[in-house]
Amino acid sequence: MDAPGAVALRDELVAAGVRVTVAACDVADRDALAELLAEYPVDAVVHAAGVLDDGVIDALTAERFEGVLRTKAFGAVHLDELTRDRALDAFVLFSSFAGSVGAAGQGNYAAANAYLDALAERRRAQGLPATSIAWGPWADGGMADDAASSARMRRGGVIPLYAEAALDVLARTVAYALPALVVADLDWTDFAPAFTSTRPSPLIAALPEARAAAENAGGAAEHTGHQGRTGLLDQLTGLPPAEQDRVLLQTVQSCAAAVLGYPNPESVIAKRAFRDLGIDSLTAVELRNALTALTGVSGLASTVVFDRPTPLALARHLREQLLGESSEPESSTTEPVR
């Protein structure tokens, strides 16, 4: 009962005429779960547990996978195995959009949730009740309900779900014909171009909304001449080297300001390290994706903002990729930072 919100939830349910028992148990501990189920009658299961330990792929150790999998996947398989002798009305798994579509920095979380979707498929094939809902992020206290995560997701076209609406969907999908489904609020205009900026996605390519958004983004790039490799090259052609450097630096600063939530590109200081500007491993991937979409330069490493650690250095790297030439190297002398 010390868990945040537990007392209020119990009181709300009791006031509605529900008999409530609150029992603590680690569902990833099979023996402890078996003891709990032996003590209490259970005719429905809702598995909503989960933890996050986000990081880019090369930073995800076996231990970081185990911690996420233990809560999400181990708990689910124990609930599956230990309730098979019961006539359940429902077996609901809270999966994640990350396991169905993908999310930057969530390789371990994606794997754990993909397991839940597969478990639901298997249970249905065996004639058992199961519904796995791959949720987009929830607002109002969801796992990703913090200002930085919410802003990053909204920039990529993923809108947090209001809890009341999500619960309404939950009530209507428990008996849904399909064992696994995705429930997310997507702004295709932002999501489709961002999601396919580094590689095509067969998963969403057939969706009319995604296809239309991608085509519109391509048309806008052609019209403005400021997006894509061809447009940027056209913009740079004929400019003196110093002006080319200025355009490329502004491109980097504009993308970084959007990713980091800075008020304007000028706030991203040219010679300041990205780490000092607030870039972490996840926003580094987002910045790489934004630059790929804007410049058309493919093959930028997910670590490019750490390999080229300042906006100025990254702009010079883009110059090499676009024009096949480099500008003067950054001076090693101490200068006023701008």
Side-chain angles (χ1 to χ4, degrees):
M1 295 305 299
D2 293 334
V7 173
L9 176 60
R10 180 202 58 190
D11 293 347
E12 179 183 349
L13 292 171
V14 170
V18 179
R19 185 164 56 89
V20 178
T21 300
V22 178
C25 175
D26 179 2
V27 295
D29 182 333
R30 196 180 191 282
D31 293 338
L33 180 59
E35 291 180 11
L36 183 74
L37 290 171
E39 185 175 354
Y40 296 98
V42 170
D43 58 15
V45 170
V46 178
H47 177 45
V51 297
L52 295 174
D53 190 3
D54 295 352
V56 294
I57 286 292
D58 58 4
L60 292 179
T61 62
E63 290 75 20
R64 295 181 70 179
F65 267 94
E66 196 275 341
V68 172
L69 286 166
R70 185 178 191 277
T71 302
K72 181 74 72 171
F74 293 8
V77 75
H78 293 161
L79 287 164
D80 168 49
E81 293 172 351
L82 293 171
T83 61
R84 284 185 167 243
D85 61 343
R86 305 184 184 222
L88 298 181
D89 295 325
F91 189 93
V92 182
L93 302 169
F94 269 45
S95 180
S96 171
F97 180 81
S100 302
V101 179
Q106 293 193 322
N108 50 0
Y109 193 62
N113 286 286
Y115 181 89
L116 264 57
D117 297 340
L119 179 61
E121 296 270 4
R122 186 178 71 179
R123 282 183 59 92
R124 283 287 191 96
Q126 295 171 340
L128 299 170
T131 303
S132 182
I133 305 175
W135 296 104
W138 282 38
D140 309 324
M143 292 177 69
D145 186 25
D146 64 82
S149 296
S150 179
R152 183 168 65 244
M153 289 183 294
R154 285 179 180 276
R155 286 194 298 271
V158 182
I159 313 301
L161 296 162
Y162 289 108
E164 185 176 349
L167 289 171
D168 181 61
V169 171
L170 172 63
R172 291 187 285 110
T173 54
V174 169
Y176 199 66
L178 296 175
L181 60 154
V182 177
V183 178
D185 187 0
L186 301 178
D187 180 345
W188 290 106
T189 302
D190 292 329
F191 180 79
F195 191 71
T196 58
S197 63
T198 57
R199 61 185 182 278
S201 171
L203 177 65
I204 68 172
L207 298 176
E209 298 90 344
R211 187 166 58 248
E215 290 172 354
N216 288 338
E222 183 178 349
H223 176 71
T224 62
H226 291 292
Q227 296 186 37
R229 178 183 289 267
T230 302
L232 191 56
L233 281 173
D234 288 345
Q235 189 181 5
L236 296 173
T237 299
L239 294 177
E243 188 65 11
Q244 291 175 337
D245 289 344
R246 185 189 65 79
V247 170
L248 289 168
L249 178 58
Q250 285 185 337
T251 299
V252 173
Q253 289 173 312
S254 296
C255 286
V259 167
L260 294 170
Y262 279 36
N264 52 61
E266 293 73 27
S267 301
V268 179
I269 300 171
K271 294 186 178 181
R272 190 172 183 185
F274 281 113
R275 289 187 185 276
D276 295 336
L277 291 167
I279 284 281
D280 58 21
S281 59
L282 299 186
T283 48
V285 174
E286 188 179 358
L287 177 53
R288 185 280 306 269
N289 293 349
L291 285 170
T292 297
L294 190 64
T295 68
V297 176
S298 60
L300 292 174
S302 60
T303 58
V304 69
V305 300
F306 302 121
D307 300 334
R308 315 288 174 167
T310 67
L312 189 59
L314 182 52
R316 286 171 173 154
H317 178 64
L318 289 176
R319 179 189 180 89
E320 293 174 4
Q321 299 300 307
L322 284 163
L323 302 174
E325 58 187 57
S326 60
S327 55
E328 289 299 314
E330 189 172 341
S331 172
S332 60
T333 60
T334 302
E335 302 176 17
V337 177
R338 176 59 242 147

